[in-house]
Amino acid sequence: MRLKDKVALITGGAQGIGRAIAILFAQEGADVVIGDINLEEAKNTVSEIEALGRRSLALEMNVADYQKVEEAVNKILDKFTKIDILVNNAGITKDNLLLRMSETEWDAVLDVNLKGAFNCTKAVSKIMLKQHRGKIINIASIIGIIGNPGQANYSASKAGIIALTKTTAKEFASRNINVNAIAPGFIQTEMTARLPEELKTRMLDSIPLKRFGMPQDVARACLFLASEEADYITGQTILVDGGMVMV
Protein backbone atom coordinates (compact mmCIF):
# COMPACT_ATOMS: atom_id res chain seq x y z
CA MET A 1 0.00 0.00 0.00
CA ARG A 2 1.48 3.30 -1.11
CA LEU A 3 -0.06 5.45 1.66
CA LYS A 4 -0.09 2.98 4.54
CA ASP A 5 -1.08 4.70 7.82
CA LYS A 6 -0.83 8.21 6.35
CA VAL A 7 -3.44 10.78 7.40
CA ALA A 8 -4.92 12.84 4.57
CA LEU A 9 -7.23 15.87 4.60
CA ILE A 10 -9.20 16.36 1.41
CA THR A 11 -11.27 19.52 1.07
CA GLY A 12 -14.37 19.30 -1.07
CA GLY A 13 -14.04 15.55 -0.64
CA ALA A 14 -17.71 14.64 -0.42
CA GLN A 15 -18.27 14.09 -4.13
CA GLY A 16 -16.77 14.29 -7.61
CA ILE A 17 -12.99 14.48 -7.90
CA GLY A 18 -12.53 14.88 -4.15
CA ARG A 19 -14.50 11.72 -3.39
CA ALA A 20 -12.51 9.75 -5.99
CA ILE A 21 -9.26 10.90 -4.37
CA ALA A 22 -10.55 10.00 -0.90
CA ILE A 23 -11.60 6.48 -1.90
CA LEU A 24 -8.34 5.76 -3.73
CA PHE A 25 -6.26 7.06 -0.82
CA ALA A 26 -8.19 4.79 1.55
CA GLN A 27 -7.66 1.81 -0.75
CA GLU A 28 -3.95 2.57 -0.58
CA GLY A 29 -3.91 2.51 3.22
CA ALA A 30 -4.57 6.10 4.29
CA ASP A 31 -6.91 7.37 6.98
CA VAL A 32 -8.93 10.13 5.34
CA VAL A 33 -10.61 13.27 6.64
CA ILE A 34 -13.35 14.72 4.44
CA GLY A 35 -13.72 18.48 4.83
CA ASP A 36 -16.77 19.75 2.97
CA ILE A 37 -19.48 22.40 3.19
CA ASN A 38 -22.00 19.57 2.69
CA LEU A 39 -21.70 17.54 5.89
CA GLU A 40 -24.29 14.90 4.97
CA GLU A 41 -22.55 14.06 1.69
CA ALA A 42 -19.24 14.03 3.55
CA LYS A 43 -20.64 11.47 6.00
CA ASN A 44 -21.68 9.25 3.09
CA THR A 45 -18.13 9.28 1.75
CA VAL A 46 -16.79 8.54 5.23
CA SER A 47 -19.03 5.46 5.38
CA GLU A 48 -17.50 4.22 2.13
CA ILE A 49 -13.99 4.75 3.49
CA GLU A 50 -14.74 2.98 6.76
CA ALA A 51 -16.13 0.05 4.76
CA LEU A 52 -12.63 -0.28 3.31
CA GLY A 53 -11.24 -0.76 6.83
CA ARG A 54 -9.73 2.70 7.25
CA ARG A 55 -10.44 5.37 9.83
CA SER A 56 -12.23 8.47 8.60
CA LEU A 57 -13.83 11.69 9.77
CA ALA A 58 -16.35 14.08 8.23
CA LEU A 59 -16.02 17.77 9.07
CA GLU A 60 -18.27 20.62 7.98
CA MET A 61 -15.67 22.97 6.59
CA ASN A 62 -15.95 26.42 5.03
CA VAL A 63 -12.47 26.79 3.58
CA ALA A 64 -13.00 30.53 3.03
CA ASP A 65 -13.11 31.08 6.82
CA TYR A 66 -9.65 30.72 8.39
CA GLN A 67 -10.99 30.32 11.92
CA LYS A 68 -13.22 27.43 10.80
CA VAL A 69 -10.28 25.83 9.03
CA GLU A 70 -8.13 26.04 12.17
CA GLU A 71 -10.92 24.52 14.24
CA ALA A 72 -11.17 21.64 11.76
CA VAL A 73 -7.40 21.06 11.84
CA ASN A 74 -7.48 20.89 15.64
CA LYS A 75 -10.23 18.26 15.47
CA ILE A 76 -8.11 16.23 13.07
CA LEU A 77 -5.15 16.38 15.41
CA ASP A 78 -7.34 15.32 18.34
CA LYS A 79 -8.35 12.16 16.47
CA PHE A 80 -5.30 11.32 14.37
CA THR A 81 -2.42 13.32 16.00
CA LYS A 82 -0.88 14.21 12.61
CA ILE A 83 -1.59 15.32 9.04
CA ASP A 84 0.63 13.87 6.32
CA ILE A 85 -1.23 14.94 3.19
CA LEU A 86 -3.39 17.93 2.28
CA VAL A 87 -5.40 18.03 -0.94
CA ASN A 88 -6.85 21.48 -1.65
CA ASN A 89 -9.72 20.39 -3.85
CA ALA A 90 -12.67 22.56 -2.72
CA GLY A 91 -13.87 24.78 -5.53
CA ILE A 92 -16.89 26.48 -7.04
CA THR A 93 -17.85 28.25 -10.27
CA LYS A 94 -20.04 31.29 -10.87
CA ASP A 95 -19.64 31.87 -14.60
CA ASN A 96 -20.45 35.12 -16.36
CA LEU A 97 -18.90 37.40 -18.95
CA LEU A 98 -16.62 39.93 -17.32
CA LEU A 99 -18.83 42.92 -18.15
CA ARG A 100 -21.80 41.18 -16.55
CA MET A 101 -19.94 39.60 -13.64
CA SER A 102 -20.90 41.02 -10.26
CA GLU A 103 -18.46 41.74 -7.49
CA THR A 104 -20.27 39.07 -5.47
CA GLU A 105 -19.66 36.45 -8.17
CA TRP A 106 -15.99 37.40 -8.36
CA ASP A 107 -15.46 37.40 -4.60
CA ALA A 108 -17.28 34.11 -3.99
CA VAL A 109 -15.10 32.15 -6.41
CA LEU A 110 -11.81 33.73 -5.31
CA ASP A 111 -12.74 33.25 -1.63
CA VAL A 112 -13.39 29.51 -1.96
CA ASN A 113 -10.92 28.51 -4.68
CA LEU A 114 -7.88 30.64 -3.90
CA LYS A 115 -8.30 32.02 -0.40
CA GLY A 116 -9.54 28.58 0.66
CA ALA A 117 -6.32 26.97 -0.54
CA PHE A 118 -4.33 29.67 1.25
CA ASN A 119 -6.26 29.13 4.49
CA CYS A 120 -5.86 25.36 4.47
CA THR A 121 -2.22 25.47 3.44
CA LYS A 122 -1.40 27.97 6.18
CA ALA A 123 -3.19 25.95 8.88
CA VAL A 124 -1.88 22.53 7.87
CA SER A 125 1.65 23.65 7.03
CA LYS A 126 2.16 24.63 10.67
CA ILE A 127 1.73 20.95 11.53
CA MET A 128 3.86 19.71 8.64
CA LEU A 129 6.70 22.11 9.45
CA LYS A 130 6.89 20.62 12.95
CA GLN A 131 6.77 17.11 11.51
CA HIS A 132 9.50 17.93 8.96
CA ARG A 133 7.47 16.16 6.30
CA GLY A 134 4.27 16.48 4.28
CA LYS A 135 2.65 16.49 0.87
CA ILE A 136 0.37 19.31 -0.32
CA ILE A 137 -1.52 18.87 -3.57
CA ASN A 138 -3.53 21.72 -5.06
CA ILE A 139 -6.25 21.04 -7.61
CA ALA A 140 -5.93 23.76 -10.23
CA SER A 141 -7.38 23.62 -13.77
CA ILE A 142 -6.24 23.99 -17.36
CA ILE A 143 -8.51 27.07 -17.36
CA GLY A 144 -5.94 28.69 -15.10
CA ILE A 145 -3.41 28.19 -17.92
CA ILE A 146 -5.38 28.94 -21.09
CA GLY A 147 -8.30 31.05 -19.82
CA ASN A 148 -11.91 30.66 -20.93
CA PRO A 149 -14.61 33.21 -21.88
CA GLY A 150 -17.14 33.62 -19.08
CA GLN A 151 -14.77 32.35 -16.41
CA ALA A 152 -12.61 35.33 -15.47
CA ASN A 153 -13.10 34.63 -11.76
CA TYR A 154 -12.50 30.89 -12.05
CA SER A 155 -9.46 31.21 -14.33
CA ALA A 156 -7.93 33.86 -12.06
CA SER A 157 -8.44 31.65 -9.01
CA LYS A 158 -6.87 28.62 -10.67
CA ALA A 159 -3.93 30.60 -12.08
CA GLY A 160 -3.45 31.85 -8.54
CA ILE A 161 -3.41 28.27 -7.29
CA ILE A 162 -0.55 27.46 -9.66
CA ALA A 163 1.44 30.50 -8.50
CA LEU A 164 0.69 29.68 -4.85
CA THR A 165 1.98 26.16 -5.48
CA LYS A 166 5.33 27.40 -6.78
CA THR A 167 5.89 29.88 -3.96
CA THR A 168 4.93 27.53 -1.13
CA ALA A 169 7.03 24.77 -2.69
CA LYS A 170 10.06 27.05 -2.37
CA GLU A 171 9.16 28.17 1.15
CA PHE A 172 8.58 24.65 2.52
CA ALA A 173 11.24 22.65 0.67
CA SER A 174 13.83 22.89 3.46
CA ARG A 175 11.38 21.11 5.80
CA ASN A 176 10.82 18.19 3.43
CA ILE A 177 7.34 19.34 2.38
CA ASN A 178 6.43 18.82 -1.27
CA VAL A 179 3.86 21.11 -2.86
CA ASN A 180 2.48 20.34 -6.31
CA ALA A 181 -0.60 21.06 -8.39
CA ILE A 182 -2.79 19.06 -10.73
CA ALA A 183 -4.59 20.86 -13.55
CA PRO A 184 -7.51 18.73 -14.76
CA GLY A 185 -9.04 19.23 -18.17
CA PHE A 186 -12.64 18.27 -18.92
CA ILE A 187 -13.52 15.76 -16.20
CA GLN A 188 -16.99 14.20 -16.00
CA THR A 189 -18.51 15.47 -12.74
CA GLU A 190 -21.80 17.02 -11.66
CA MET A 191 -20.26 20.45 -12.29
CA THR A 192 -19.38 19.71 -15.93
CA ALA A 193 -22.63 17.81 -16.51
CA ARG A 194 -24.48 21.13 -16.36
CA LEU A 195 -22.61 22.54 -19.38
CA PRO A 196 -24.45 22.91 -22.73
CA GLU A 197 -24.11 19.95 -25.08
CA GLU A 198 -22.68 22.07 -27.90
CA LEU A 199 -19.89 23.23 -25.58
CA LYS A 200 -19.14 19.63 -24.59
CA THR A 201 -18.93 18.64 -28.27
CA ARG A 202 -16.60 21.53 -29.04
CA MET A 203 -14.36 20.64 -26.11
CA LEU A 204 -14.27 16.95 -27.07
CA ASP A 205 -13.03 17.92 -30.54
CA SER A 206 -10.07 19.72 -28.91
CA ILE A 207 -8.92 16.67 -26.89
CA PRO A 208 -6.36 14.49 -28.73
CA LEU A 209 -7.39 11.36 -26.81
CA LYS A 210 -10.99 12.00 -27.94
CA ARG A 211 -12.61 11.27 -24.60
CA PHE A 212 -13.42 13.11 -21.42
CA GLY A 213 -11.57 12.32 -18.24
CA MET A 214 -13.00 10.63 -15.18
CA PRO A 215 -12.48 11.65 -11.53
CA GLN A 216 -10.33 8.53 -11.10
CA ASP A 217 -7.86 9.90 -13.67
CA VAL A 218 -7.21 12.88 -11.41
CA ALA A 219 -7.18 10.69 -8.31
CA ARG A 220 -4.42 8.48 -9.71
CA ALA A 221 -2.21 11.50 -10.42
CA CYS A 222 -2.93 12.72 -6.92
CA LEU A 223 -1.95 9.36 -5.46
CA PHE A 224 1.38 9.51 -7.26
CA LEU A 225 2.16 12.98 -5.89
CA ALA A 226 1.14 11.91 -2.38
CA SER A 227 3.36 8.81 -2.45
CA GLU A 228 7.08 8.33 -1.84
CA GLU A 229 7.50 7.91 -5.59
CA ALA A 230 7.16 11.71 -5.94
CA ASP A 231 9.53 12.66 -3.12
CA TYR A 232 11.83 14.53 -5.53
CA ILE A 233 9.04 16.44 -7.27
CA THR A 234 7.93 19.84 -5.98
CA GLY A 235 6.57 23.09 -7.40
CA GLN A 236 5.18 21.35 -10.48
CA THR A 237 1.81 21.39 -12.23
CA ILE A 238 0.71 18.11 -13.82
CA LEU A 239 -1.92 18.42 -16.53
CA VAL A 240 -4.51 15.64 -16.58
CA ASP A 241 -6.39 16.65 -19.71
CA GLY A 242 -6.05 14.02 -22.43
CA GLY A 243 -3.56 16.25 -24.27
CA MET A 244 -5.96 19.21 -24.55
CA VAL A 245 -3.24 21.66 -23.52
CA MET A 246 0.41 21.09 -24.28
CA VAL A 247 2.89 23.49 -22.71
Side-chain angles (χ1 to χ4, degrees):
M1 290 188 175
R2 295 158 81 180
L3 301 180
K4 183 173 173 55
D5 297 328
K6 299 293 186 182
V7 176
L9 166 60
I10 302 171
T11 69
Q15 53 193 342
I17 290 173
R19 176 185 168 278
I21 295 168
I23 297 300
L24 183 58
F25 277 19
Q27 290 171 340
E28 290 290 336
D31 296 326
V32 183
V33 179
I34 305 297
D36 203 287
I37 200 73
N38 188 332
L39 185 58
E40 289 307 310
E41 284 290 338
K43 288 179 179 178
N44 291 337
T45 303
V46 163
S47 296
E48 294 182 70
I49 292 167
E50 290 176 339
L52 295 169
R54 302 307 309 178
R55 295 185 298 164
S56 190
L57 176 65
L59 294 174
E60 186 173 2
M61 196 171 175
N62 177 7
V63 296
D65 185 329
Y66 184 72
Q67 184 176 342
K68 297 295 185 184
V69 170
E70 274 206 320
E71 290 172 359
V73 168
N74 288 334
K75 290 177 181 177
I76 297 168
L77 293 177
D78 287 342
K79 183 176 177 69
F80 297 104
T81 73
K82 64 174 184 171
I83 301 174
D84 300 297
I85 303 161
L86 167 65
V87 181
N88 283 312
N89 170 71
I92 62 170
T93 59
K94 289 187 179 294
D95 297 349
N96 215 337
L97 293 173
L98 182 66
L99 291 177
R100 297 174 184 168
M101 185 174 290
S102 67
E103 186 177 352
T104 300
E105 290 170 329
W106 174 273
D107 288 346
V109 172
L110 270 292
D111 280 352
V112 173
N113 296 8
L114 184 54
K115 184 182 177 183
F118 161 77
N119 285 340
C120 294
T121 299
K122 182 176 179 179
V124 171
S125 66
K126 294 177 182 178
I127 311 306
M128 292 182 173
L129 288 167
K130 292 178 182 177
Q131 295 172 169
H132 286 259
R133 69 179 187 279
K135 297 289 181 74
I136 299 174
I137 302 162
N138 298 319
I139 305 301
S141 170
I142 60 166
I143 302 305
I145 299 172
I146 63 174
N148 196 39
Q151 291 192 305
N153 49 4
Y154 185 77
S155 62
S157 72
K158 294 302 185 177
I161 286 285
I162 293 171
L164 178 67
T165 298
K166 294 175 180 179
T167 295
T168 51
K170 290 182 177 181
E171 290 186 3
F172 300 156
S174 64
R175 295 295 185 93
N176 198 34
I177 299 170
N178 303 68
V179 188
N180 291 289
I182 294 173
F186 193 104
I187 306 298
Q188 294 187 53
T189 64
E190 287 188 15
M191 185 183 294
T192 56
R194 295 192 293 266
L195 295 173
E197 288 301 319
E198 63 179 80
L199 176 59
K200 294 179 186 178
T201 300
R202 191 163 69 248
M203 293 186 76
L204 185 61
D205 289 339
S206 68
I207 300 173
L209 287 182
K210 296 303 176 188
R211 62 179 176 84
F212 296 134
M214 300 299 293
Q216 290 76 14
D217 293 313
V218 180
R220 284 189 283 267
C222 201
L223 172 63
F224 167 67
L225 290 175
S227 73
E228 293 181 357
E229 296 163 13
D231 279 356
Y232 199 57
I233 299 173
T234 198
Q236 304 304 309
T237 300
I238 297 178
L239 278 62
V240 181
D241 66 349
M244 188 175 180
V245 179
M246 299 189 186
V247 294

